[in-house]
Amino acid sequence: DIQMTQSPSSLSASVGDRVTITCRASQGISNFLAWYQQKPGKVPKLLIYAASILQSGVPSRFSGSGSGTDFTLTISSLQPEDVATYYCQKDNSAPYTFGQGTKLEIK
Amino acid sequence: EVQLVDSGGNLVQPGGSLRLSCAASGFTVSTNYMSWVRQAPGKGLEWVSVIYSGGSTYYADSVKGRFTISRDISKNTVYLQMNSLRGEDTAVYYCARHLDGFDFWGQGTMVTVSS
């Protein structure tokens, strides 16, 4: 099975910073990659699908890129409400494996 | 409005069984892919199972042979039958619609496996 590895596992940044989270697949998955945000005690929320398409209603400061094995989630200007754990997920076929998560905090 | 309501979670002894339900509204489960995802306390997300629109099913290795996903078209509901439960199955279980990514999620239902 394809493994999904995120880095870093945790991240602390200041409000207004540009933040980048990476996700690597152990085999190529084309652009079948989704990103989710999960705030403490809340249900996961879809941010991006097909590696770079922003889900309706998601702020434009979020963007995604990549194809094949290497993917990136970028927050262009970090806001206090972005404190959360972020997960990538392969979306091409079962098993729909998630990355281990990246916990984002404000400095 | 699309909505998913998860239910059926409970405290169960090791080796026991439980059936989770995911009642959908605002769309038809039989024409969509539907998955179950779980999250152990303080841990990350783990995909558990999917039922495709054509009826095919797939499972994570960790639950294969013990869990069964199904759907009732008349009730527009997806189920997860969980047998031979273990302590490591303790988690919040979410159902989710799989369209482009998992775009809608239930609120989750807690399953605790303990004696």
Side-chain angles (χ1 to χ4, degrees):
Chain A
D1 291 343
I2 296 174
Q3 305 303 312
M4 307 300 293
T5 304
Q6 288 179 233
S7 61
S9 296
S10 63
L11 175 59
S12 182
S14 300
V15 172
D17 281 355
R18 182 181 183 89
V19 170
T20 298
I21 298 169
T22 63
C23 178
R24 176 163 289 177
S26 60
Q27 297 175 42
I29 57 171
S30 185
N31 68 335
F32 292 98
L33 192 284
W35 288 97
Y36 301 86
Q37 176 193 63
Q38 187 178 32
K39 296 183 178 181
K42 300 297 186 182
V43 176
K45 173 187 173 183
L46 176 65
L47 296 177
I48 288 168
Y49 63 92
S52 62
I53 301 177
L54 208 61
Q55 176 71 348
S56 176
V58 173
S60 59
R61 64 180 179 273
F62 291 92
S63 64
S65 65
S67 183
T69 61
D70 294 307
F71 302 89
T72 299
L73 172 69
T74 299
I75 307 173
S76 61
S77 178
L78 185 65
Q79 299 302 304
E81 59 266 32
D82 299 335
V83 169
T85 300
Y86 293 83
Y87 297 92
C88 64
Q89 180 201 30
K90 64 179 284 288
D91 193 32
N92 56 337
S93 61
Y96 296 100
T97 308
F98 289 91
Q100 80 278 16
T102 295
K103 187 174 183 179
L104 176 58
E105 299 176 329
I106 300 288
K107 246 184 228 180
Chain B
E1 179 193 5
V2 172
Q3 191 173 13
L4 294 169
V5 178
D6 302 325
S7 63
N10 211 331
L11 171 64
V12 61
Q13 292 188 339
S17 297
L18 210 54
R19 189 179 81 160
L20 306 183
S21 300
C22 169
S25 56
F27 73 101
T28 304
V29 299
S30 62
T31 60
N32 284 269
Y33 296 179
M34 298 295 298
S35 273
W36 286 94
V37 176
R38 69 184 181 183
Q39 186 169 37
K43 302 298 184 183
L45 301 173
E46 180 187 14
W47 175 81
V48 173
S49 180
V50 63
I51 183 165
Y52 291 137
S53 51
S56 299
T57 60
Y58 293 88
Y59 301 91
D61 287 344
S62 57
V63 307
K64 203 172 294 181
R66 300 187 299 123
F67 289 12
T68 302
I69 190 171
S70 63
R71 65 192 180 195
D72 184 328
I73 296 172
S74 67
K75 295 183 178 179
N76 209 30
T77 297
V78 177
Y79 301 100
L80 187 68
Q81 177 67 43
M82 304 186 296
N83 299 330
S84 302
L85 282 162
R86 307 165 180 168
E88 55 264 37
D89 296 319
T90 294
V92 175
Y93 285 73
Y94 300 97
C95 71
R97 186 178 78 168
H98 185 179
L99 196 58
D100 291 309
F102 288 18
D103 63 342
F104 282 94
W105 296 62
Q107 85 286 1
T109 187
M110 183 71 205
V111 172
T112 302
V113 183
S114 175
S115 55

